Amino acid sequence: MYEGDDANLDETPPEESSNRTFYVIAAILGGLILLSLACVAGYVLLVYQPQANSRAEQQTAVAAQNIQVEQGLTGTAVSVAATQTAFATPTLPPTNTPVFSTATATVTSAAASDPATATVAAALTQAAQAQLTVIPTSTALPGTGFADEVGAPGLVIMAVALIVVIFLARRLRTAPVSNK
Protein backbone atom coordinates (compact mmCIF):
# COMPACT_ATOMS: atom_id res chain seq x y z
CA MET A 1 0.00 0.00 0.00
CA TYR A 2 1.12 3.48 -0.79
CA GLU A 3 1.36 5.80 2.20
CA GLY A 4 2.51 8.94 0.41
CA ASP A 5 0.70 11.82 -1.20
CA ASP A 6 -2.15 10.57 -3.37
CA ALA A 7 -2.40 13.85 -5.27
CA ASN A 8 0.56 13.05 -7.55
CA LEU A 9 -0.90 9.77 -8.83
CA ASP A 10 -3.43 11.40 -11.14
CA GLU A 11 -0.92 13.57 -12.99
CA THR A 12 0.62 12.35 -16.19
CA PRO A 13 4.39 12.04 -16.19
CA PRO A 14 6.29 14.86 -17.88
CA GLU A 15 6.88 14.33 -21.58
CA GLU A 16 10.38 13.46 -22.69
CA SER A 17 12.26 15.85 -24.90
CA SER A 18 12.28 15.12 -28.61
CA ASN A 19 15.11 13.06 -29.99
CA ARG A 20 15.53 15.25 -33.06
CA THR A 21 19.27 15.65 -32.46
CA PHE A 22 19.70 11.90 -32.27
CA TYR A 23 17.82 11.35 -35.52
CA VAL A 24 19.82 14.03 -37.32
CA ILE A 25 23.14 12.57 -36.18
CA ALA A 26 21.98 9.04 -37.01
CA ALA A 27 20.97 10.18 -40.51
CA ILE A 28 24.32 11.92 -41.04
CA LEU A 29 26.26 8.85 -39.89
CA GLY A 30 24.13 6.56 -42.04
CA GLY A 31 24.73 8.83 -45.02
CA LEU A 32 28.47 8.81 -44.35
CA ILE A 33 28.49 5.02 -44.21
CA LEU A 34 26.57 4.74 -47.49
CA LEU A 35 28.85 7.32 -49.11
CA SER A 36 31.92 5.41 -47.86
CA LEU A 37 30.59 2.14 -49.25
CA ALA A 38 29.89 3.80 -52.61
CA CYS A 39 33.42 5.25 -52.69
CA VAL A 40 34.99 1.89 -51.86
CA ALA A 41 32.94 0.15 -54.55
CA GLY A 42 33.89 2.81 -57.09
CA TYR A 43 37.56 2.52 -56.15
CA VAL A 44 37.49 -1.26 -56.51
CA LEU A 45 35.77 -1.12 -59.88
CA LEU A 46 37.55 1.84 -61.44
CA VAL A 47 41.03 1.95 -59.92
CA TYR A 48 42.01 -1.28 -58.16
CA GLN A 49 41.14 -3.80 -60.91
CA PRO A 50 43.16 -2.07 -63.67
CA GLN A 51 46.08 -1.62 -61.28
CA ALA A 52 45.92 -5.28 -60.27
CA ASN A 53 45.94 -6.35 -63.91
CA SER A 54 48.90 -4.11 -64.75
CA ARG A 55 50.78 -5.34 -61.66
CA ALA A 56 50.25 -8.94 -62.74
CA GLU A 57 51.56 -8.15 -66.24
CA GLN A 58 54.53 -6.29 -64.77
CA GLN A 59 55.37 -9.20 -62.44
CA THR A 60 55.22 -11.60 -65.39
CA ALA A 61 57.57 -9.36 -67.39
CA VAL A 62 60.02 -9.06 -64.47
CA ALA A 63 59.99 -12.83 -63.94
CA ALA A 64 60.72 -13.39 -67.64
CA GLN A 65 63.55 -10.86 -67.51
CA ASN A 66 65.00 -12.54 -64.41
CA ILE A 67 64.93 -15.90 -66.18
CA GLN A 68 66.80 -14.40 -69.15
CA VAL A 69 69.41 -12.85 -66.87
CA GLU A 70 69.88 -16.14 -65.02
CA GLN A 71 70.29 -18.04 -68.29
CA GLY A 72 72.82 -15.48 -69.50
CA LEU A 73 74.76 -15.65 -66.24
CA THR A 74 74.79 -19.44 -66.37
CA GLY A 75 76.02 -19.41 -69.96
CA THR A 76 78.71 -16.84 -69.12
CA ALA A 77 79.88 -18.82 -66.10
CA VAL A 78 80.04 -22.04 -68.13
CA SER A 79 82.01 -20.40 -70.95
CA VAL A 80 84.41 -18.66 -68.55
CA ALA A 81 84.99 -21.90 -66.65
CA ALA A 82 85.63 -23.80 -69.89
CA THR A 83 88.12 -21.26 -71.24
CA GLN A 84 90.14 -20.72 -68.09
CA THR A 85 93.61 -22.15 -68.20
CA ALA A 86 96.29 -22.06 -65.60
CA PHE A 87 98.78 -19.27 -66.14
CA ALA A 88 102.36 -20.32 -66.56
CA THR A 89 104.46 -18.89 -63.79
CA PRO A 90 108.05 -18.15 -64.61
CA THR A 91 110.51 -20.24 -62.68
CA LEU A 92 113.40 -18.36 -61.21
CA PRO A 93 116.84 -19.72 -61.95
CA PRO A 94 118.57 -21.44 -59.04
CA THR A 95 120.80 -19.28 -56.90
CA ASN A 96 123.72 -20.02 -54.69
CA THR A 97 121.95 -19.61 -51.37
CA PRO A 98 123.79 -21.10 -48.43
CA VAL A 99 121.80 -23.66 -46.45
CA PHE A 100 121.99 -23.10 -42.72
CA SER A 101 120.32 -26.26 -41.61
CA THR A 102 119.05 -29.45 -43.18
CA ALA A 103 115.72 -29.15 -41.33
CA THR A 104 115.01 -25.80 -43.00
CA ALA A 105 115.81 -27.19 -46.41
CA THR A 106 113.53 -30.15 -45.89
CA VAL A 107 110.58 -27.95 -44.82
CA THR A 108 111.14 -25.59 -47.76
CA SER A 109 111.23 -28.35 -50.33
CA ALA A 110 108.17 -30.04 -48.79
CA ALA A 111 106.14 -26.79 -48.95
CA ALA A 112 107.10 -26.15 -52.58
CA SER A 113 106.06 -29.60 -53.77
CA ASP A 114 102.86 -29.82 -51.69
CA PRO A 115 99.85 -30.22 -54.06
CA ALA A 116 97.51 -28.48 -51.56
CA THR A 117 99.61 -25.31 -51.80
CA ALA A 118 99.42 -25.40 -55.59
CA THR A 119 95.64 -25.84 -55.41
CA VAL A 120 95.27 -22.87 -53.06
CA ALA A 121 97.44 -20.73 -55.32
CA ALA A 122 95.34 -21.66 -58.36
CA ALA A 123 92.11 -20.89 -56.47
CA LEU A 124 93.44 -17.48 -55.40
CA THR A 125 94.41 -16.74 -59.00
CA GLN A 126 90.91 -17.60 -60.23
CA ALA A 127 89.36 -15.46 -57.48
CA ALA A 128 91.50 -12.48 -58.52
CA GLN A 129 90.46 -12.94 -62.16
CA ALA A 130 86.79 -13.17 -61.15
CA GLN A 131 87.00 -9.82 -59.35
CA LEU A 132 88.11 -8.17 -62.57
CA THR A 133 85.11 -9.52 -64.50
CA VAL A 134 81.82 -7.55 -64.23
CA ILE A 135 78.74 -9.77 -64.38
CA PRO A 136 75.22 -8.25 -64.48
CA THR A 137 72.79 -9.54 -61.88
CA SER A 138 69.06 -9.16 -61.43
CA THR A 139 68.04 -6.65 -58.75
CA ALA A 140 64.26 -6.95 -58.81
CA LEU A 141 62.65 -6.81 -55.38
CA PRO A 142 59.10 -7.93 -54.67
CA GLY A 143 56.62 -5.20 -53.76
CA THR A 144 54.42 -7.14 -51.38
CA GLY A 145 53.33 -6.61 -47.83
CA PHE A 146 50.29 -6.41 -45.58
CA ALA A 147 49.95 -2.62 -45.72
CA ASP A 148 50.14 -2.64 -49.53
CA GLU A 149 47.41 -5.23 -49.86
CA VAL A 150 44.76 -3.95 -47.44
CA GLY A 151 45.25 -0.18 -47.55
CA ALA A 152 46.57 0.70 -44.12
CA PRO A 153 45.94 4.48 -44.41
CA GLY A 154 42.24 3.85 -45.04
CA LEU A 155 42.06 1.55 -42.03
CA VAL A 156 43.66 4.19 -39.81
CA ILE A 157 41.27 6.90 -41.03
CA MET A 158 38.25 4.67 -40.42
CA ALA A 159 39.50 3.79 -36.91
CA VAL A 160 39.90 7.48 -36.03
CA ALA A 161 36.43 8.25 -37.43
CA LEU A 162 34.86 5.50 -35.32
CA ILE A 163 36.62 6.74 -32.19
CA VAL A 164 35.27 10.25 -32.88
CA VAL A 165 31.77 8.76 -33.23
CA ILE A 166 32.14 7.02 -29.87
CA PHE A 167 33.18 10.23 -28.10
CA LEU A 168 30.46 12.23 -29.85
CA ALA A 169 27.78 9.72 -28.83
CA ARG A 170 28.92 9.72 -25.21
CA ARG A 171 29.00 13.50 -25.11
CA LEU A 172 25.49 13.79 -26.53
CA ARG A 173 24.23 11.20 -24.08
CA THR A 174 25.61 13.05 -21.07
CA ALA A 175 24.78 16.57 -22.27
CA PRO A 176 22.07 18.26 -20.18
CA VAL A 177 18.73 18.50 -21.94
CA SER A 178 16.80 21.70 -21.52
CA ASN A 179 13.02 21.36 -21.21
CA LYS A 180 11.24 24.22 -22.90
Side-chain angles (χ1 to χ4, degrees), residues 18-32 168 172:
S18 73
N19 289 329
R20 184 178 310 174
T21 307
F22 173 77
Y23 291 133
V24 169
I25 291 176
I28 290 172
L29 289 177
L32 283 175
L168 192 82
L172 287 174

Side-chain angles (χ1 to χ4, degrees), residues 40-166:
V40 167
Y43 174 78
V44 167
L45 293 176
L46 300 176
V47 177
Y48 184 73
Q49 285 298 328
Q51 285 181 353
N53 294 339
S54 68
R55 275 193 301 257
E57 292 171 3
Q58 185 180 15
Q59 287 174 351
T60 304
V62 168
Q65 183 181 10
N66 286 344
I67 289 172
Q68 287 178 346
V69 168
E70 289 173 10
Q71 289 173 347
L73 290 174
T74 302
T76 303
V78 167
S79 66
V80 167
T83 59
Q84 283 186 348
T85 58
F87 288 110
T89 56
T91 307
L92 298 175
T95 60
N96 292 331
T97 307
V99 177
F100 294 107
S101 127
T102 57
T104 307
T106 308
V107 171
T108 308
S109 64
S113 65
D114 188 16
T117 306
T119 305
V120 170
L124 291 175
T125 303
Q126 287 181 351
Q129 288 175 350
Q131 288 178 350
L132 298 176
T133 307
V134 176
I135 299 174
T137 60
S138 62
T139 58
L141 296 175
T144 60
F146 177 75
D148 296 337
E149 299 293 325
V150 298
L155 289 174
V156 171
I157 291 170
M158 289 301 292
V160 169
L162 290 174
I163 290 172
V164 168
V165 167
I166 290 170

